[in-house]
Amino acid sequence: MAGRYCYKEVIPFSAMVAIEFTNVGVSVLFKAATEKGLSYYAFITYSFALSTLFLLFPLPFVFRWSRGLPPLKISLIVRIFLLGVIGLVAQLCGYKGLAYTSPTLSSALGNLIPAFTFILAILFRMENVALRSSSTQAKILGSLISICGALVVVLYKGPTILSASSPQPSPTVDSPMGSTSQTNWILGGSLLAIEFLLVPIWYIIQTNIIKEYPAEVIVVFLYNLSGILISAPTCLLLEGNLSSWKINPDITLIAIIYSGFFCTGLSSLVHTWGIHLKGPVYVSSFKPLSIAIAAALSVIFLGDALYLGTVVGAVILSFGFYGVIWGKAKEEVSEDIDIGPSSSGKTPLLQSYNVKDNGEIKCNGC
């Protein structure tokens, strides 16, 4: 019993928290690397390539242990390829938006993911909806509050709460007074919002795929392989300057290796496993943790300023997030009560006796 609880509750929770730390770390490293002249097109392509190599090594063992898997159908491969397209577009929007803004804003807007995931799960009938139920009302209201909080973060920058460490902040990112800064801030926030709309779509499609083909390593490997096949020609076309593809032995190399191993590779694998085990809404619910992580890392390592709009929006987003989580938790408790003892695998009492033709009652297994 304790082992099952650990596998179903403790390990997924710990894994999701750890992945949030690694994902925020990628954002901070990427931001630092772009300031050294790294092209984000090259960054995405190299990340997909490294994660594909990383997942290539365990494949022979996975195929040996998973002989009972269903065959890979063409329709399944097409859906995995679609995942690669969505993943590439999401990263293009996300890293471009991050270049215009900051990791703190990116993490704050990441709170849109639980709300968008919940809405899409309803549309695809992966979530139960009963409008008179308090759990459903909490999830709907929480989703709406999350969206309002995201709009505050994007459209309102506000005064500086914590000043940047550099006396000459970047005019395109950190200066709150310039019109160019405000325009870039809104543009970057809009691109990040598009990314965080595409991520729930990725979750929903991945949920459908993993139900049909329950082998996380194989699915994520094929996803990353699709990503490199799409991103290599696309990013070469968008970034024709070959010198921008040069990897310098500094923070640039560290950022690429870290992203390829932890973000595009390990993060995708853990999220796919979590979707298979707990569902897309559970996986998406851990995004608000990244706000505090990103704010601290950005101020410490990047010298970013912290603005009032980001804090206010993040607080509103957090209220919406906890509304969704409360509703989800209450719904799961209700489902457990409804299932009752039938989930224990024991034979119900009334089915444990047979009545013979002569009227004698016999106990099965007695």
Side-chain angles (χ1 to χ4, degrees):
M1 189 67 180
R4 184 176 181 275
Y5 176 80
C6 183
Y7 177 75
K8 294 283 290 184
E9 301 296 337
V10 177
I11 294 177
F13 180 86
S14 303
M16 295 304 157
V17 172
I19 286 301
E20 286 307 312
F21 272 93
T22 61
N23 287 344
V24 173
V26 168
S27 298
V28 173
L29 285 173
F30 169 79
K31 188 74 175 178
T34 52
E35 293 175 357
K36 296 286 187 178
L38 173 67
S39 167
Y40 81 106
Y41 297 112
F43 181 81
I44 292 171
T45 304
Y46 288 140
S47 296
F48 270 120
L50 281 177
S51 60
T52 303
L53 290 175
F54 160 64
L55 291 166
L56 182 63
F57 293 105
L59 275 186
F61 303 99
V62 173
F63 279 116
R64 184 180 302 172
W65 296 333
S66 308
R67 293 179 180 178
L69 288 172
L72 276 169
K73 299 179 181 178
I74 297 297
S75 60
L76 187 66
I77 295 175
V78 170
R79 275 177 284 166
I80 295 175
F81 187 82
L82 178 61
L83 277 185
V85 174
I86 294 173
L88 173 62
V89 176
Q91 289 197 37
L92 287 173
C93 293
Y95 285 124
K96 192 64 176 178
L98 187 60
Y100 282 140
T101 56
S102 71
T104 305
L105 178 68
S106 175
S107 298
L109 285 178
N111 286 302
L112 280 172
I113 292 179
F116 283 152
T117 304
F118 171 64
I119 293 170
L120 289 174
I122 291 176
L123 294 177
F124 287 93
R125 298 183 179 180
M126 294 179 179
E127 285 285 319
N128 297 323
V129 178
L131 295 179
R132 294 185 179 181
S133 169
S134 59
S135 61
T136 299
Q137 293 170 359
K139 290 189 290 184
I140 293 174
L141 184 60
S143 300
L144 294 175
I145 292 174
S146 295
I147 293 173
C148 292
L151 291 175
V152 171
V153 172
V154 173
L155 299 178
Y156 175 66
K157 199 170 187 180
T160 303
I161 295 177
L162 193 61
S163 299
S165 60
S166 173
Q168 297 293 334
S170 172
T172 60
V173 176
D174 292 327
S175 175
M177 302 303 295
S179 59
T180 302
S181 170
Q182 187 67 24
T183 301
N184 287 343
W185 189 265
I186 294 174
L187 176 60
S190 301
L191 289 171
L192 290 171
I194 293 172
E195 178 197 12
F196 296 134
L197 176 60
L198 291 173
V199 170
I201 296 174
W202 191 94
Y203 285 157
I204 296 299
I205 297 175
Q206 186 73 301
T207 303
N208 178 266
I209 290 172
I210 209 67
K211 283 182 179 179
E212 182 177 339
Y213 195 84
E216 292 87 348
V217 176
I218 297 174
V219 170
V220 175
F221 169 77
L222 292 175
Y223 157 71
N224 280 281
L225 182 62
S226 300
I228 187 61
L229 292 176
I230 302 165
S231 64
T234 303
C235 293
L236 277 171
L237 184 64
L238 294 173
E239 182 59 80
N241 185 9
L242 295 180
S243 62
S244 300
W245 292 77
K246 182 180 178 181
I247 302 176
N248 297 317
D250 50 17
I251 191 66
T252 301
L253 179 61
I254 296 173
I256 290 172
I257 294 175
Y258 187 96
S259 175
F261 183 83
F262 286 106
C263 186
T264 315
L266 187 61
S267 176
S268 299
L269 188 59
V270 171
H271 281 161
T272 303
W273 171 73
I275 287 171
H276 188 195
L277 187 67
K278 304 287 285 185
V281 176
Y282 179 86
V283 172
S284 66
S285 66
F286 286 83
K287 270 296 172 183
L289 291 173
S290 61
I291 300 176
I293 300 169
L297 293 180
S298 296
V299 171
I300 294 171
F301 294 104
L302 298 178
D304 282 351
L306 186 62
Y307 299 105
L308 178 63
T310 301
V311 174
V312 172
V315 170
I316 296 174
L317 278 162
S318 298
F319 277 113
F321 158 73
Y322 285 112
V324 174
I325 293 303
W326 181 86
K328 185 67 177 172
K330 187 172 182 180
E331 186 179 79
E332 289 179 353
V333 170
S334 300
E335 289 175 355
D336 290 340
I337 294 174
D338 292 339
I339 292 171
S342 62
S343 62
S344 63
K346 296 180 180 179
T347 306
L349 180 61
L350 293 178
Q351 295 180 9
S352 59
Y353 295 91
N354 285 336
V355 180
K356 292 186 174 183
D357 294 336
N358 60 5
E360 180 186 351
I361 299 176
K362 181 180 180 182
C363 175
N364 295 330
C366 295

